Amino acid sequence: MHPKALLDASAELVAQVLKFDHPADATVARFFREHRSLGPRERTTLTDTVYAVVRRKLLFEHFAGSGSGPRERRLAILGFAAPRDFLKSALNEQETAWLDACDAVDPATLSERHRHNLPEWLATALKEQVGEDFWPLVKSLEQLAPLDLRVNAVTDRRDDVLKELALAGIAAQPTPYSPWGLRLEGKPALAKLDAFARGAVEVQDEGSQLLALLTDARRGQMVVDFCAGAGGKTLALGAAMRNTGRLYAFDISAHRLDNLKPRLARSKLSNVHPAAIAHERDDRIKRLAGKIDRVIVDAPCSGLGTLRRNPDLKWRQDPKDLPEVTARQTAILESAARLLKPGGRLVYATCSLLRAENEDIAAAFTAAHRDFKRLSVQELLEGHKVAGAAELCSADGQDLRLWPHRHGTDAFYAAAWEKVQS
């Protein structure tokens, strides 16, 4: 595609995404459906351009104020994901001079908001939580997330899959914490790999793999993945159970569970039972009360721990909605807790950066439930021989706290309890 046409398409897509009517990935996917003539390279450039604009929105809007022409074109120029000489061949003299002036700006002279590119409410919350780590965290959130895989422990060994990937020309290395994980270099076409087609590997962030490990589902148990979604953790739990016992995958979205079906078929697991539920008090859940050995609640949340993958979330979230979100998380956790038998384990997790969705929910649950004993996440991980377990946890070892700038994963939180005799 000619540079000018590609820049015009980028400006059009930027304009659509910045309406924030829908998630950025959904808007991009719809755009590609409407423009089927676009090749893989053009699609990559368009996607990377849009995400660059969303990541650095405040800075680019600041620079755009000194330019001319349509706003979305100026933003697309600033974020254009191609070599500068290719881009400049699509610009007029005035635009080229303006872009050179923007490129020459010393980042140290910029205001704080133009360096962190976060809404002020979120920047304030993160500063309070991580202190001196604020700027390293900001820098990590601007990076592309790596592609992690989980090896299916029922069918394959990690070392064998690593060798298989190497023979296919794909560079990978074992993840530092998860015993099942592989971290790939770049973004290879997984669908063409035999290892993927036969279910030897699934895409799953290392942090998500650790949540499954923390749940400690075992052979022959009754286990519930309470908010299963597309089933990444469900499949990890089923493999940990060695395809025995009974694993329920509940979610209020039948559509999300539909995405589990092809993954489940590849995995060759027969112990997984997906079921759409109407709400957290559904009759299906009531019938299982007091019968379950393990429950994981990966609660619906702001998703702000995935900003490397979904940078639009920081602009689509309204802090005024947070009380409603945390009330729902509390209700879900309460319902999930009723499923457990004495001696059973409950894990609460989110992919949120915010204390209100994490530590505050766990503390309130602990205070309200004397029949649940809080467990040390650090001790649980050490029991699985996870290297550096202490560095994955809060200072007291009680909570799992994963951060992209410290651990290379999405940001995850988790707390765990054991049901005791009431």
Side-chain angles (χ1 to χ4, degrees):
M1 180 180 282
H2 192 277
K4 289 185 178 180
L6 189 55
L7 179 58
D8 288 344
S10 296
E12 182 183 350
L13 183 52
V14 164
Q16 291 184 21
V17 168
L18 290 187
K19 293 177 183 178
F20 296 123
D21 294 336
H22 304 282
D25 58 352
T27 301
V28 170
R30 184 185 65 211
F31 186 88
F32 290 160
R33 287 194 299 271
E34 295 169 352
H35 298 80
R36 296 187 181 277
S37 62
L38 292 167
R41 289 186 179 181
E42 288 85 1
R43 291 176 181 235
T44 297
T45 300
L46 287 165
T47 301
D48 291 350
T49 296
V50 163
Y51 277 81
V53 171
V54 173
R55 282 192 178 90
R56 308 182 75 186
K57 178 173 173 285
L58 296 182
L59 175 62
F60 287 175
E61 287 178 339
H62 169 65
F63 284 153
S66 62
S68 59
R71 169 179 172 268
E72 56 268 21
R73 178 178 172 86
R74 283 173 273 157
L75 294 173
I77 289 170
L78 291 165
F80 199 66
R84 276 293 190 252
D85 57 348
F86 181 87
L87 168 60
K88 287 182 177 180
S89 67
L91 306 181
N92 59 39
E93 290 185 11
Q94 185 178 8
E95 289 174 328
T96 299
W98 167 72
L99 180 61
D100 287 341
C102 293
D103 287 343
V105 171
D106 181 357
T109 65
L110 295 168
S111 69
E112 189 172 279
R113 68 190 300 268
H114 295 142
R115 285 185 288 134
H116 65 54
N117 285 282
L118 296 170
E120 206 54 46
W121 69 269
L122 181 56
T124 299
L126 293 180
K127 286 177 184 177
E128 291 174 354
Q129 285 193 78
V130 300
E132 295 179 355
D133 269 10
F134 175 72
W135 289 107
L137 173 58
V138 166
K139 186 175 180 180
S140 73
L141 292 176
E142 291 185 347
Q143 306 303 311
L144 294 176
L147 179 59
D148 290 350
L149 304 179
R150 177 188 54 80
V151 174
N152 185 348
V154 173
T155 61
D156 289 83
R157 295 173 63 251
R158 181 163 69 169
D159 289 347
D160 294 337
V161 174
L162 194 60
K163 293 174 184 176
E164 182 179 346
L165 293 178
L167 289 173
I170 295 175
Q173 58 185 1
T175 49
Y177 307 113
S178 168
W180 309 313
L182 293 173
R183 182 157 295 159
L184 275 54
E185 293 183 15
K187 307 286 183 180
L190 291 179
K192 298 179 180 180
L193 292 177
D194 179 65
F196 180 78
R198 72 171 194 273
V201 294
E202 271 290 340
V203 175
Q204 187 179 17
D205 184 81
E206 183 183 22
S208 180
Q209 296 179 38
L210 289 176
L211 298 182
L213 190 70
L214 187 61
T215 306
D216 192 31
R218 299 184 179 184
R219 288 176 182 269
Q221 287 185 332
M222 296 266 284
V223 179
V224 169
D225 186 352
F226 204 86
C227 306
K233 277 179 290 300
T234 304
L235 298 176
L237 293 168
M241 296 165 70
R242 310 304 295 182
N243 203 18
T244 66
R246 194 169 183 87
L247 172 56
Y248 294 95
F250 291 140
D251 203 276
I252 60 170
S253 170
H255 174 69
R256 282 197 294 266
L257 287 176
D258 284 342
N259 293 328
L260 169 59
K261 291 179 181 177
R263 304 175 76 185
L264 184 56
R266 284 197 305 270
S267 74
K268 301 178 179 63
L269 295 176
S270 58
N271 63 338
V272 178
H273 302 272
I277 56 175
H279 44 69
E280 68 271 11
R281 301 175 307 280
D282 191 284
D283 285 342
R284 288 175 181 263
I285 295 166
K286 290 179 180 179
R287 289 196 292 268
L288 293 173
K291 299 177 181 178
I292 304 300
D293 297 287
R294 299 284 189 270
V295 177
I296 181 168
V297 178
D298 185 7
C301 67
S302 64
L304 291 168
T306 67
L307 284 179
R308 298 181 304 170
R309 306 173 195 277
N310 305 296
D312 56 307
L313 283 175
K314 61 187 175 183
W315 309 117
R316 296 176 57 237
Q317 297 289 335
D318 188 336
K320 294 178 182 177
D321 296 334
L322 193 57
E324 182 179 341
V325 173
T326 56
R328 186 180 179 203
Q329 290 164 342
T330 299
I332 291 172
L333 183 58
E334 289 283 343
S335 290
R338 297 188 186 105
L339 293 170
L340 284 157
K341 63 172 65 171
R345 181 179 300 178
L346 174 64
V347 174
Y348 171 80
T350 78
C351 55
S352 172
L353 296 162
L354 303 177
R355 191 185 305 276
E357 298 184 86
N358 297 328
E359 287 91 347
D360 291 355
I361 297 288
F365 181 85
T366 302
H369 291 272
R370 294 187 177 181
D371 55 337
F372 279 84
K373 179 180 70 173
R374 192 76 179 266
L375 300 175
S376 165
V377 167
Q378 181 179 331
E379 291 178 5
L380 296 177
L381 293 176
E382 288 173 345
H384 284 285
K385 298 181 172 56
V386 173
E391 68 188 48
L392 305 176
C393 301
S394 55
D396 61 4
Q398 195 168 54
D399 306 309
L400 181 75
R401 254 304 192 172
L402 301 177
W403 300 92
H405 66 293
R406 294 177 186 168
H407 309 115
T409 67
D410 288 343
F412 281 100
Y413 170 84
W417 298 264
E418 180 179 308
K419 174 72 178 292
V420 296
Q421 295 286 355
S422 56

